[in-house]
Amino acid sequence: MGFTQPPIGSDDVFNARRWKRILGNYSTPIRLRSLAELAITALPLAMLWTAAWFTFSIGYAWASLLIAFPAAGFLLRLFMIQHDCGHGTFFAGRLANDWVGRVIGVLTLTPYDYWRRTHAIHHATTGNIDRRGIGDVDTLTVREYRALSWWGRLKYRLYRHPLIMFGVGPAYLFLLQQRIPVGLMRNGWQPWASTMATNLAIAVVVAALTWFIGIKAFLLVHLPITLLAATAGVWLFYVQHQFEHTTWDRDEGWNLHHAALYGSSHYELPALLRWFTANIGIHHVHHLSSRIPYYRLPHVLRDHPELRDFGHITLLESFRCVRLVLWDEAQRRLVSFREIRARDCWARGTDKEDKAAA
């Protein structure tokens, strides 16, 4: 699964810096295409939300819940547009990117300016073991995990458990954590202003909708849509960097372009899911050149098919990534708790044999 990365400094023909230069040719957004992408995402979301409320109001709560699934897909896609705005790639002008991103942020519960900063840090430090902490899924090395107390190990195992990571985690992240500028609280007033302005706008929208349809209808219609979209978003972010043969390096040996190409996955999804996720599965190309609009990412693979094999994982293969929780610096790959436990048991058995022989 995936494409095993060569060591930094290799003369491999797939040179990451060379790809960075080539991909610059795809970085120009197409204004009409961007407007069309926004329309075909926002309008169906509004229609599906209205349909979910209407079916709930006439007593068909089960139908409302079914409608929540496609509605969540469009909300997720809207988040991807916000993501491109944050990179300054959805429109040519910064003003259009920023204000479209801020408005979308009210719907996705994601403060745009705050998120843009943390995501920029993620791009600037991805794959760097010594600069973990912002915009990443918390990942310990095998050595760090072994050095923890039993309580520390338990907390990490709970954090990495699928029910927490993809169940409680998305709800906590989008409903609670993003209400304050976590990670940037000492960076001046701007993260606070962005977050509080988004919170105020969210409060106004929620108040208006609850006044119009009632608190019960709002919660039972909107919460399923939001939570489904949040879970899908967290899953995508997880798979994009948490696959077996990703790459992590210490600061002195880390290279941005190498980490982008070999530390990000090419998550090949079925066509419909690829559309709803706005081609974010072509993540290695996105990290190599974050200025490429999402609708131009498939053109890169079409013109340069040799990029398809880097970090390649399928939908079925991606489910096995959940068990990969620790970075093994010796083997340069992610490993599972079970593998580390088996290794430790083997080492203890070997020690006992050595002592008995002595």
Side-chain angles (χ1 to χ4, degrees), residues 230-287:
T231 298
V234 169
W235 169 257
L236 286 169
F237 188 79
Y238 181 92
V239 173
Q240 287 158 5
H241 299 284
Q242 300 280 317
F243 57 102
E244 184 174 6
H245 292 292
T246 186
T247 184
W248 290 77
D249 289 286
R250 294 291 175 183
D251 198 43
E252 63 275 8
W254 177 82
N255 176 274
L256 176 64
H257 306 296
H258 184 276
L261 185 57
Y262 294 100
S264 307
S265 66
H266 173 203
Y267 190 23
E268 188 165 12
L269 294 168
L272 182 62
L273 294 180
R274 197 160 58 242
W275 188 87
F276 274 112
T277 58
N279 302 312
I280 198 64
I282 311 175
H283 208 63
H284 59 318
V285 176
H286 168 65
H287 263 264

Side-chain angles (χ1 to χ4, degrees), residues 319-334:
F319 296 120
R320 298 203 296 267
C321 295
V322 176
R323 62 184 177 81
L324 303 173
V325 292
L326 296 166
W327 175 250
D328 189 324
E329 292 187 79
Q331 297 190 47
R332 293 193 54 79
R333 65 182 182 90
L334 286 172

Side-chain angles (χ1 to χ4, degrees), residues 19 23 26 80 83-84 87 123 236-237 239-241 243 260-271 273-275 277-313:
W19 282 116
L23 297 180
Y26 298 86
M80 297 307 171
H83 167 265
D84 266 26
H87 283 293
H123 270 258
L236 286 169
F237 188 79
V239 173
Q240 287 158 5
H241 299 284
F243 57 102
L261 185 57
Y262 294 100
S264 307
S265 66
H266 173 203
Y267 190 23
E268 188 165 12
L269 294 168
L273 294 180
R274 197 160 58 242
W275 188 87
T277 58
N279 302 312
I280 198 64
I282 311 175
H283 208 63
H284 59 318
V285 176
H286 168 65
H287 263 264
L288 265 180
S289 183
S290 60
R291 299 287 298 179
I292 301 175
Y294 69 73
Y295 49 78
R296 301 196 69 181
L297 289 172
H299 301 168
V300 175
L301 295 187
R302 179 198 63 195
D303 297 341
H304 305 284
E306 58 270 40
L307 281 172
R308 292 180 180 273
D309 292 334
F310 287 86
H312 183 270
I313 55 175

